[in-house]
Amino acid sequence: MVLAVTIIVTGGAGYIGAHVVDALAAEGRDVVVVDDLSTASEARVGDHPLHRFDLAAPDATARLTQLLGDVRATGVVHLAAKKQVGESVARPEWYYRQNVGGLGAVLEAARAVGCDRLVFSSSAAVYGEPAGGVVDEDARPDPINPYGQTKLVGEWMIRAAARAWGLRQVSLRYFNVAGAGRPELGDPAVLNLVTLVLDRLERGEAPLVFGDDYPTPDGTCVRDYVHVADLAAAHVAALDYLERPAPAYDTFDVGAGQGVSVTQMLTAIASATGTSVLPQVVDRRPGDPAVLVATAARIRTELGWEPRRGLDDIVASAWSAWRAQREAGVEPIRPAR
Ligand code: WQD
């Protein structure tokens, strides 16, 4: 008899979380979602049980402890968090409460019931503005905003729990995530380059380029874009990794290991959407490093993970998801900056 494996996915109704739920379910795991639906949609969760509460609320540890025990959870994938850099600069105390406090509740509950597998959603934002721009996990983290700080503190917290009570844990540092695994799961937030550009194109406005005088080949910033379905697969690989007798590492960059400039991205979007609106170059955005790209060597060798979808897939799937949302009457979420 095969014992059912139940994984709790916090933030499982969100953009990335819903892809993680899909990927786990496809591998035969039972999935239970915890999400406060503050920036997410119930429709994304499908048939998986959804428990709606805020992990930073005062009763969160008790509720989560009860739930982990009831479903006999074998592991947690913890994505629920706030993720807007600008908002984190404006409201740092709230970001710490949500992201660090929420993780505290997860760890307390997991410890209380002996649930000792955790995959944590971290971010390339922990690196800040690294010299040279191409990083690996040995680079010294030096976040430059409260959002990135909360992710680094999260990594410290789960490592401390590993030492204190044997939690088996992995942090996945996401680079620039875009695309959609299926059209219903597109990113509803107009927050990052791809959706910002699609939103402007739809409204007949020129896409904005935040600076073209960076020390890069075409003068625009270079990032490492990873398809959200590939990122989701990395969570499955990370959970499998935790079953090894002695995992050698607990931190993995999740990127394609390839730099794509803003101009290259705009060209790919223009080709996918069939638009030819000339971009408008505006001032640099404060806090943007010229280059931030992962070597992504460790995740390939240790987890056997590699990206299967390239830039064209990222852009084409983002575009079809964007149109699907519009056809379904879903309005884009334009966060306050
Ligand atoms: C990408 C590039 C912009 C919009 C952010 C967070 C990071 C992580 C992912 C997560 C940059 C340029 C953008 C536009 C542009 N957060 N740009 N015109 O800043 O690399 O990473 O999201 O959870 O912590 O910092 O991503 O998509 O905002 O920007 O020129 O209209 O595109 O300057 O170089 P970023 P982004």
Side-chain angles (χ1 to χ4, degrees), residues 159-233:
R159 195 171 289 152
R163 294 204 185 98
W165 55 275
L167 176 70
R168 298 169 75 88
Q169 48 81 32
V170 154
S171 292
L172 297 180
R173 292 176 174 167
Y174 308 166
F175 278 66
N176 290 64
V177 186
R182 41 191 176 92
E184 309 79 52
L185 297 189
D187 187 355
V190 182
L191 190 62
N192 294 115
L193 176 62
V194 174
T195 49
L196 279 162
V197 169
L198 292 177
D199 188 43
R200 289 184 70 89
L201 287 174
E202 186 180 63
R203 294 192 282 167
E205 296 170 0
L208 299 180
V209 176
F210 297 150
D212 67 353
D213 56 353
Y214 284 95
T216 60
D218 66 23
T220 66
C221 288
V222 172
R223 295 290 181 273
D224 187 336
Y225 294 88
V226 60
H227 192 294
V228 65
D230 286 334
L231 173 64

Side-chain angles (χ1 to χ4, degrees), residues 133-150:
V134 179
V135 292
D136 63 21
E137 296 83 351
D138 294 327
R140 192 180 163 77
D142 189 12
I144 56 165
N145 53 61
Y147 167 71
Q149 290 164 1
T150 64

Side-chain angles (χ1 to χ4, degrees), residues 25-48:
E27 295 288 323
R29 266 77 152 195
D30 285 339
V31 177
V32 175
V33 171
V34 173
D35 202 303
D36 66 0
L37 300 184
S38 58
T39 57
S41 139
E42 194 166 356
R44 290 169 178 271
V45 178
D47 294 336
H48 305 286

Side-chain angles (χ1 to χ4, degrees), residues 44-312:
R44 290 169 178 271
V45 178
D47 294 336
H48 305 286
L50 167 67
H51 295 261
R52 184 178 179 178
F53 60 94
D54 174 3
L55 288 165
D59 63 347
T61 299
R63 289 184 73 166
L64 191 60
T65 304
Q66 178 81 43
L67 176 62
L68 290 172
D70 286 351
V71 304
R72 296 171 190 268
T74 43
V76 178
V77 179
H78 177 56
L79 297 102
K82 298 294 162 196
K83 64 168 186 181
Q84 294 183 43
V85 171
E87 190 179 53
S88 83
V89 174
R91 299 182 67 192
E93 44 298 284
W94 187 59
Y95 263 66
Y96 273 86
R97 178 189 287 275
Q98 290 294 315
N99 292 3
V100 176
L103 175 57
V106 170
L107 291 174
E108 285 173 349
R111 184 174 190 169
V113 301
C115 173
D116 62 356
R117 307 280 195 272
L118 176 72
V119 176
F120 174 59
S121 159
S122 186
S123 171
V126 301
Y127 291 116
E129 298 178 306
V134 179
V135 292
D136 63 21
E137 296 83 351
D138 294 327
R140 192 180 163 77
D142 189 12
I144 56 165
N145 53 61
Y147 167 71
Q149 290 164 1
T150 64
K151 290 296 175 183
L152 184 56
V153 170
E155 293 187 6
W156 293 340
M157 284 169 74
I158 64 175
R159 195 171 289 152
R163 294 204 185 98
W165 55 275
L167 176 70
R168 298 169 75 88
Q169 48 81 32
V170 154
S171 292
L172 297 180
R173 292 176 174 167
Y174 308 166
F175 278 66
N176 290 64
V177 186
R182 41 191 176 92
E184 309 79 52
L185 297 189
D187 187 355
V190 182
L191 190 62
N192 294 115
L193 176 62
V194 174
T195 49
L196 279 162
V197 169
L198 292 177
D199 188 43
R200 289 184 70 89
L201 287 174
E202 186 180 63
R203 294 192 282 167
E205 296 170 0
L208 299 180
V209 176
F210 297 150
D212 67 353
D213 56 353
Y214 284 95
T216 60
D218 66 23
T220 66
C221 288
V222 172
R223 295 290 181 273
D224 187 336
Y225 294 88
V226 60
H227 192 294
V228 65
D230 286 334
L231 173 64
H235 293 74
V236 179
L239 276 170
D240 290 345
Y241 184 70
L242 293 180
E243 299 309 316
R244 290 195 197 170
Y249 299 101
D250 65 0
T251 312
F252 294 92
D253 290 339
V254 193
Q258 265 195 341
V260 172
S261 74
V262 173
T263 295
Q264 287 173 320
M265 181 59 92
L266 292 183
T267 304
I269 294 175
S271 143
T273 57
T275 51
S276 53
V277 188
L278 282 181
Q280 183 187 345
V281 179
V282 295
D283 286 348
R284 289 183 177 195
R285 190 174 65 176
D288 269 341
V291 178
L292 190 56
V293 176
T295 67
R298 182 185 285 178
I299 191 166
R300 286 172 197 256
T301 52
E302 287 294 307
L303 263 56
W305 174 92
E306 54 186 309
R308 292 171 40 211
R309 301 159 183 90
L311 183 62
D312 289 345

